[in-house]
Amino acid sequence: MPQDPLPAAQQNQHLQGVPHTDRQGRVRFAYDAAASFFPIGIYHALHGEAFGRSHDLAQSSQAGFNTVHLWPMQDIPAALTAARRLGLQAIVQQPSEDFVAAQRGNPAVLAWMIEDEPSAVVSAADTPAHLADYDTRAARYKAIDPDRGMLLLDAPGISRTQYWRWRHWLTRPDIHMHFNYPFARRLDPVRNIERVAVSVSRAVRFTDQRKPIWFVAQAFEEPRRSWYMPDADQLRAMVFAAIIHGASGIVYFGYDSHATRDDNVLGIAPDPLIEYGDTPDYNNNGLPHLRTDAAGLQRSKALWHGVEAINRELAALAPSLLQPTLPYVCNAQTAKSDGLAQPIRLLAKPALATDGILLLAVNLENQAHDVRLDCPAGFATVSSYSPDQMPPMQQDGTSFTDRFPPFGVRLYRIVR
């Protein structure tokens, strides 16, 4: 397995343009305020009645999501009708060819997802045949609906056993989406979230910066396999680590319901339940659905509201994030790290409504850092981009200092 490049503070991918999509998943590189789309999505979204529980996509819209991955075992046409009414874009999983033909031209459809975690579930021996089968199926779907994005969801590709299979699968779809969940009790305390930076950077590099990369962030807990619910600051760090390293879309896993509980997952929701009753064993594992407690409900609701705040932030930043990266370089100097050679990562974008620079920064480590940022090209002023962020300190025209909390995110406005 080849070594990744040595990590640097400043990320410089997408200098010529960010691969992203419009609202129908058509890939584009030039930013257009009327057409460019930055998905902010929730996975396993539901709409309508299910086992005595009413779900409404309006809750997702109100929480700042613009995209919904529709859990496939529901009335998808009805959910698409609701999504269209609410201005939401939908990812539809494993549709039949007849369904694609019937929904061709539906403006609510963002992408067709016809493959799920292949690098994790398809063996090395079976991969060549499975890749060929995917190519055949994708070609049929494209012939039916040529203007719609084809999406593939995969695992993070971190392990040696998945690395080469993952790399092959990256080349197939119009849009690559992968999950990466660092907050697990077997790693507790989690020292850093560098794995997010690694998987997104690899995806950008292996696709030659030509495909949209969407990142699925951990917004759940799964007791059986030891994943625990991150807090809002940890989730925000995951999101910005992915964006700084090249992601042009964010999807959170996932919306809490009987669907997630069947997989022993407590997701996020504004009004989750202790349990969802006697519902089918969709995954056929013979195990009862997860039942949570009052503390679990509180974690779920709290993170839903934390995601609402992140969503508002992403929606405001999207016009900057989808524009070419600026060749404005800053170096980050820190005291001794807890393990990473470079815990602070940076990305420069055009600032909104000014001629300035938006400098995004994230601390990948679970420790605070006093950071000196040296910007050789110089600046006139540096200020906080977010009103609730303390201003940076000790500005001298080429450098400034700031204190990053554990998994801290900083947004700066630089005027030259």
Side-chain angles (χ1 to χ4, degrees), residues 68-395:
V68 287
H69 165 276
L70 298 175
W71 189 60
M73 303 184 76
Q74 63 178 308
D75 186 341
I76 299 297
L80 286 175
T81 298
R84 184 172 181 177
R85 172 173 52 82
L86 293 164
L88 295 168
Q89 301 308 113
I91 297 168
V92 180
Q93 181 175 339
Q94 301 293 2
S96 68
E97 292 181 28
D98 287 343
F99 185 87
V100 170
Q103 297 294 329
R104 176 179 174 174
N106 186 333
V109 177
L110 173 61
W112 304 119
M113 177 178 148
I114 64 169
E115 193 70 41
D116 189 1
E117 302 181 45
S119 72
V121 301
V122 180
S123 70
D126 291 339
T127 292
H130 205 88
L131 286 166
D133 175 70
Y134 172 85
D135 290 343
T136 299
R137 288 184 290 121
R140 291 202 304 265
Y141 281 84
K142 275 291 188 182
I144 298 169
D145 193 5
D147 290 329
R148 197 75 52 181
M150 299 295 292
L151 171 67
L152 185 148
L153 171 70
D154 214 341
I158 295 291
S159 73
R160 290 179 178 272
T161 58
Q162 291 181 20
Y163 179 87
W164 288 111
R165 302 199 297 272
W166 190 74
R167 186 168 184 170
H168 283 301
W169 282 107
L170 277 170
T171 66
R172 260 46 191 195
D174 299 318
I175 306 155
H176 165 82
M177 182 166 75
H178 72 265
F179 59 83
N180 195 333
Y181 306 144
F183 289 96
R185 288 189 179 85
R186 61 184 174 81
L187 303 173
D188 199 28
V190 173
R191 297 174 65 191
N192 63 70
I193 56 169
E194 187 183 31
R195 59 178 290 144
V196 173
V198 168
S199 69
V200 176
S201 294
R202 283 180 181 171
V204 169
R205 189 168 73 253
F206 292 165
T207 55
D208 297 322
Q209 304 188 42
R210 301 299 297 172
K211 288 184 186 292
I213 307 299
W214 296 350
F215 180 75
V216 182
Q218 180 181 351
F220 73 93
E221 62 185 59
E222 205 274 35
R224 194 172 295 132
R225 289 189 286 179
S226 88
W227 281 304
Y228 63 89
M229 190 83 75
D231 63 31
D233 289 338
Q234 293 166 334
L235 180 55
R236 184 171 179 242
M238 279 187 279
V239 166
F240 277 91
I243 290 169
I244 286 170
H245 289 86
S248 57
I250 297 294
V251 178
Y252 304 89
F253 184 86
Y255 175 70
D256 190 65
S257 73
H258 61 280
T260 47
R261 299 294 184 87
D262 182 41
D263 283 327
N264 201 52
V265 167
L266 171 64
I268 58 171
D271 52 357
L273 300 180
I274 294 285
E275 60 182 338
Y276 288 90
D278 185 16
T279 57
D281 182 14
Y282 294 103
N283 60 11
N284 295 312
N285 66 0
L287 298 174
H289 288 200
L290 176 68
R291 184 183 191 277
T292 191
D293 55 19
L297 294 183
Q298 180 56 36
R299 291 191 296 273
S300 174
K301 290 189 285 189
L303 193 55
W304 176 272
H305 294 307
V307 165
E308 287 180 322
I310 299 171
N311 289 351
R312 289 192 296 270
E313 189 172 37
L314 292 180
L317 293 174
S320 286
L321 300 180
L322 294 181
Q323 295 189 49
T325 297
L326 297 177
Y328 184 83
V329 176
C330 296
N331 301 304
Q333 307 294 329
T334 64
K336 185 177 180 181
S337 158
D338 191 33
L340 298 183
Q342 182 47 264
I344 306 300
R345 306 296 169 85
L346 309 166
L347 183 70
K349 292 286 184 177
L352 301 176
T354 74
D355 293 328
I357 295 167
L358 166 64
L359 185 68
L360 301 96
V362 64
N363 176 11
L364 299 181
E365 288 192 325
N366 189 17
Q367 71 169 105
H369 284 291
D370 290 311
V371 182
R372 176 186 174 92
L373 292 118
D374 296 311
C375 308
F379 54 81
T381 61
V382 179
S383 58
S384 299
Y385 202 88
S386 301
D388 57 349
Q389 177 181 313
M390 294 293 290
M393 302 170 286
Q394 299 179 4
Q395 302 180 30

